[in-house]
Structures are given as C-alpha cells and as structure tokens.
Amino acid sequence: MSARKSIVVLSGSGVSAESGLPTFRDANGLWRNHDWRELASPEGWRKHPELVLEFYNERRAAAWKAEPNGAHRAIAALEEMHNVVVVTQNVDALHERAGSTRVVHLHGELAYARGTSAKRHRVRLDGNPIALGDLCPDGTQLRPDIVWFGEPVPKLEEGMQHVMAASHLLVVGTSLLVYPAASLAELAPEACEKMVVALELERVPEGFTFRQGKATEQVPEIARKWASG
Ligand code: APR
C-alpha cells in the first residue's frame, strides 16, 4: 500500500470549460467580450453596480446549472487514497459538487454575496440573483463575493501553505497570467512532482511536465498514475 501523497490541485477556468462555463482569455473568453475594468473592479462597481450585478447574476445562474466533468470527478476520487487540497481560482462550485471536500477559493464564490462594510458579512445565494437594494443584515448593499482586480486575495496565505507542503502538484486549466494566484505554482518544493495541463500555455513553469490537452482527457490519466504509483 503506497504512502498517502499530499496532492495539491491549482485549478483555473479551463477545468470547467468542458462543463460549458467560459474561460477568460481564450478565443470566446469572458474578457474577449467584456471589459474587466467595467465589470470586475471596485471602480466598475462604483460606476455602474447594476451592470456588475447583471453580469454576475448571469454567470451565477449558468454555474448553478452546470455539471462537474470527468476532470473534477477524477480529482475528487483521489481523496479515497491521498490527501488532496484543491486551490482554485474558479468561482463555480463544480469541484465541491464532484465530491472534493477541501477546496480553497482564491477569487471568491458565485454562490455567495457579501455586504460592502468592513465586516464582509456573507449571504448564501446558490443560483439566485442580487438586485440593487438587496441589503446585507448590516444594512449595506450586497455585492458578489468575488475578488475583483486590484482587491486583496484573503485566502492566498492558505493556498501558499498547501502548495509548499505538496508532494504532488497538478496545475490545470489556468493560463498562469494572473497574480498573485499564478505565483503559487512557483512555491512547490524541489522534490514535488509537478504537472501542468492546458490547451495552451505562454510559459511552462520551471520543473513542470506540460501535458497539452483537454482536462477531461489528461487529468484522469494523471490521477490514475498518482493513485497507483
Ligand atoms: N482543458 C484544459 N485546459 C483548458 C481547457 C480545457 N478544456 N479550455 C481552456 N483551457 C486552458 C487554456 O489553454 C488557458 O491556459 O485554460 C486556461 C484559461 O486561462 P484564462 O482564460 O486566463 O483563465 P484563468 O487562468 O482561470 O484566469 C485566472 O483571471 O480573470 C481572472 O479572476 C479571474 O480567476 C480568473 C483569473
């Protein structure tokens, strides 16, 4: 019986692409069709909150309808034999719905709203919309519980701790272009086995084996290898 591995999965929107959810920078990505400055920044929120709410209401409804795919399921199944933590940039709940029990959301979650006071009081929404005038129990306007560009990443430290303790790191479905999340890939220990899966990647981080292809094809293969070896 092989020793329990400490597996960390650093995932991005590409892992949910085959569940029908758009990525950000690919051909038909969200930021190809929308301006992130207007929709995913504190400035955009101040300027036109109704536009921001509409954008996230649509994304929330789509994510709520989406189903986990073979990549999400293969990652969840690894928990049967190994210690697995998913550190994701994704705001959908497909890792959890596939059965992953330890998921760190670096960029927030669509299924939650939060107040705009310093208390950051959270409210569960599931797939429901937020409207202007929807107030948090502390009386402030509710906003999507998403980390926008220029905002701090509260769970970054937690993500770093997991990656620094990994014996196996799988980076999947992220372009590794957005910091500080992308810096996590560089923190894995020397002895850690490092794999990266994407359709395209501008730069393969040092020490990683690049598996170019679909998450639903590459991830189950890697999971089988790690489950047995
Ligand atoms: N299988 C595997 N990889 C895929 C697939 C697929 N089916 N489809 C796309 N990809 C890969 C692309 O090749 C690309 O490398 O997923 C990556 C998607 O990159 P981005 O669109 O940049 O998305 P992501 O890395 O998740 O963005 C990071 O940017 O906009 C912010 O906060 C947002 O969390 C997001 C962050």
Side-chain angles (χ1 to χ4, degrees):
M1 173 79 169
S2 65
R4 286 182 81 84
K5 297 179 173 71
S6 295
I7 299 175
V8 173
V9 178
L10 181 60
S11 70
S13 56
V15 79
S16 296
E18 294 162 82
S19 295
L21 300 180
T23 65
F24 294 92
R25 294 167 191 82
D26 291 318
N28 194 28
L30 285 168
W31 301 148
R32 293 292 182 107
N33 305 314
H34 303 277
D35 184 343
W36 59 266
R37 279 167 289 260
E38 300 300 322
L39 297 170
S41 74
E43 299 72 33
W45 171 248
R46 270 191 293 279
K47 231 164 52 179
H48 36 224
E50 66 292 336
L51 215 60
V52 173
L53 290 178
E54 191 190 326
F55 174 70
Y56 284 98
N57 287 346
E58 282 168 20
R59 290 187 58 199
R60 186 176 308 107
W64 192 248
K65 283 199 213 94
E67 292 295 333
N69 59 50
H72 296 111
R73 290 193 292 274
I75 291 164
L78 274 171
E79 285 192 22
E80 285 153 30
M81 305 176 68
H82 300 292
N83 302 325
V84 182
V85 179
V86 177
V87 178
T88 188
Q89 297 167 83
N90 298 347
V91 292
D92 62 56
L94 296 180
H95 281 298
E96 290 92 336
R97 285 171 47 201
S100 287
T101 60
R102 300 173 68 197
V103 182
V104 178
H105 285 271
L106 296 172
H107 294 162
E109 298 178 70
L110 283 167
Y112 288 86
R114 70 169 175 84
T116 36
S117 73
K119 288 201 215 85
R120 303 171 69 98
H121 186 95
R122 283 181 108 203
V123 173
R124 188 171 181 123
L125 295 170
D126 294 335
N128 299 311
I130 306 172
L132 218 46
D134 287 354
L135 300 182
C136 173
D138 68 7
T140 59
Q141 168 67 47
L142 284 175
R143 58 161 273 182
D145 187 22
I146 302 289
V147 175
W148 288 328
F149 288 96
E151 293 188 319
V153 180
K155 300 234 171 128
L156 185 68
E157 180 62 33
E158 194 181 337
M160 290 166 73
Q161 296 305 329
H162 289 303
V163 172
M164 291 193 289
S167 63
H168 295 70
L169 175 63
L170 168 61
V171 174
V172 54
T174 177
S175 58
L176 292 172
L177 292 175
V178 174
Y179 285 76
S183 67
L184 293 181
E186 323 280 346
L187 297 177
E190 187 73 27
C192 177
E193 183 176 334
K194 301 181 268 284
M195 307 288 289
V196 57
V197 172
L199 295 180
E200 283 165 27
L201 213 50
E202 274 186 17
R203 182 184 66 82
V204 177
E206 201 171 326
F208 279 76
T209 302
F210 180 32
R211 288 280 201 84
Q212 186 160 26
K214 289 184 173 178
T216 55
E217 290 161 8
Q218 300 294 332
V219 173
E221 242 181 71
I222 294 167
R224 269 193 299 280
K225 178 172 162 265
W226 285 354
S228 58

